[in-house]
Amino acid sequence: NDFFKVETTKGKYSAKNVVVATGFYGIPRMLDVPGESLPKVSHYYDDPHYYYDQDVIVVGASNSACDAALEIFRRGGRVTMIVRGESLGKRVKYWVRPDIENRIKEGNIKAYFNASVTKIEQDHVEVRLGSGAIESLKNDYVLALIGYRPHYEFLKELGVEISEDQRLLPRFDSQTMQTNQKGIYLAGVLCAGAETHKLLIENSLIHSKRIIKHIVATKQTKELNGC
């Protein structure tokens, strides 16, 4: 009868409209290497104090990785960055870039460029260098800060179409935020698909206004038509 049945861990609900605003931090990108499931490996970073006097490998080259590397270094951790490309990411914040580059240059933070983690063990990590050689690095903790992705499977289960190109954009009307499924809306960075850097809190606040405006307009139209 035009209602969605929504089942959650808190209970069951009925709704004429559903807004999906799950962001993209829930599902981290994986290294897909042996040992990634060890307790010493984390795909999230919150507090540098845990890593005092520890050998910490930070995998990644963008803002999250650079922020973690700098904070852990300044709290007494020994930091090594593993960067897949030949340099730090282009989107590193302009006030952070000179700081991290100078710490690397002076040797306080060690960095391997054109490198990748191939295996994680309890007391060391194996890294493939640009030359193809494998180097074993003493290690206590690994922070794999290589980004996150939206919950595409959940969207697909709702019947929301996803573009087949690298952008992986969900299908929705940018003026109403309604997806190809009538009554299901998207809001927030989820709308950017794989291009998560394009949407922030600041430039996605408008989504909620568009959704409410469309829901109200739809309701008024139905009332006028006697539905």
Side-chain angles (χ1 to χ4, degrees), residues 35 209 218:
K209 295 181 180 179
T218 301

Side-chain angles (χ1 to χ4, degrees), residues 78-94:
R78 295 180 291 276
V79 182
T80 299
M81 295 185 71
I82 306 298
V83 179
R84 183 176 57 181
E86 60 184 17
S87 62
L88 297 174
K90 295 180 180 179
R91 291 192 293 272
V92 174
K93 291 169 282 193
Y94 69 87

Side-chain angles (χ1 to χ4, degrees), residues 35-49:
E36 190 169 9
S37 60
L38 288 172
K40 64 183 260 184
V41 181
S42 177
H43 297 86
Y44 299 91
Y45 165 76
D46 53 4
D47 192 328
H49 296 91

